[in-house]
Amino acid sequence: MMKYPLVPGDISTAFLHAKIPDGETILARPPITDRKPGGVWRLRQALYGLRNALRWFQEHLSATLEREGFIRLQNEPMMFYQASTGTLMNIHADDILLCCDPSILQEAQDVISRCFKVKWNDPIGEEWARYLGREWRWHDGAYEVRVPPSY
């Protein structure tokens, strides 16, 4: 059995990638260093903390990945598949879990890193590694997932 690595990653400043859609107006008070009496800023990019920021980012992410040849699965909308390479990618907010043939791992990471600034972690191995509040490891030919004992 061949081990396909699971590689966690985190998209930096994720929500700033998404533009606020036309027709939506979001106003914000500037920081105190830039504040003028009665002055407000009209945002063009989503910010963390806005109610719709996650949805706008997910739409932007999906459109970007589709341009790179990924298909969004219908039954699991945050799972993407690239048929040409067999790459699977699961997204949770701005966290990525990438799974592909080890021979194309770097190429797959490069494709995603061209679109977003991603901090890639080491592939999940035989030692317990944390990802999304759970611990993961490769053991006896399969990945095991557990809730940390300290939880």
Side-chain angles (χ1 to χ4, degrees):
M1 171 187 282
M2 182 172 183
K3 175 186 171 189
Y4 276 47
L6 291 179
V7 183
D10 183 63
I11 299 175
S12 301
T13 60
F15 297 149
L16 289 176
H17 290 280
K19 293 189 182 332
I20 294 176
D22 293 337
E24 297 269 352
T25 301
I26 308 289
L27 302 175
R29 288 179 61 195
I32 199 152
T33 55
D34 294 330
R35 200 168 291 163
K36 295 179 177 107
V40 294
W41 286 352
R42 180 171 185 226
L43 301 180
R44 290 186 228 150
Q45 302 294 122
L47 290 176
Y48 180 80
L50 293 177
R51 178 177 292 180
N52 292 320
L54 179 59
R55 181 172 50 93
W56 294 331
F57 171 68
Q58 296 297 339
E59 290 170 359
H60 172 73
L61 175 72
S62 177
T64 302
L65 292 175
E66 286 173 8
R67 281 193 301 272
E68 294 297 329
F70 285 88
I71 299 165
R72 188 179 205 172
L73 302 185
Q74 291 180 351
N75 292 337
E76 183 61 51
M78 293 321 300
M79 180 75 79
F80 294 85
Y81 176 67
Q82 190 177 43
S84 62
T85 62
T87 300
L88 275 172
M89 184 171 26
N90 184 275
I91 310 285
H92 183 322
D94 62 349
D95 295 306
I96 297 172
L97 192 59
L98 181 67
C99 180
C100 66
D101 187 307
S103 65
I104 62 162
L105 176 61
Q106 189 59 52
E107 179 185 337
Q109 288 176 312
D110 291 345
V111 166
I112 298 161
S113 294
R114 275 196 307 267
C115 304
F116 303 99
K117 184 178 179 186
V118 180
K119 179 184 179 252
W120 293 105
N121 295 324
D122 292 331
I124 294 172
E126 295 180 4
E127 298 296 320
W128 288 107
R130 290 187 68 107
Y131 174 71
L132 292 180
R134 292 180 173 76
E135 293 179 338
W136 299 63
R137 76 173 177 175
W138 174 260
H139 182 70
D140 288 337
Y143 284 100
E144 293 180 341
V145 183
R146 72 178 184 188
V147 175
S150 61
Y151 183 73

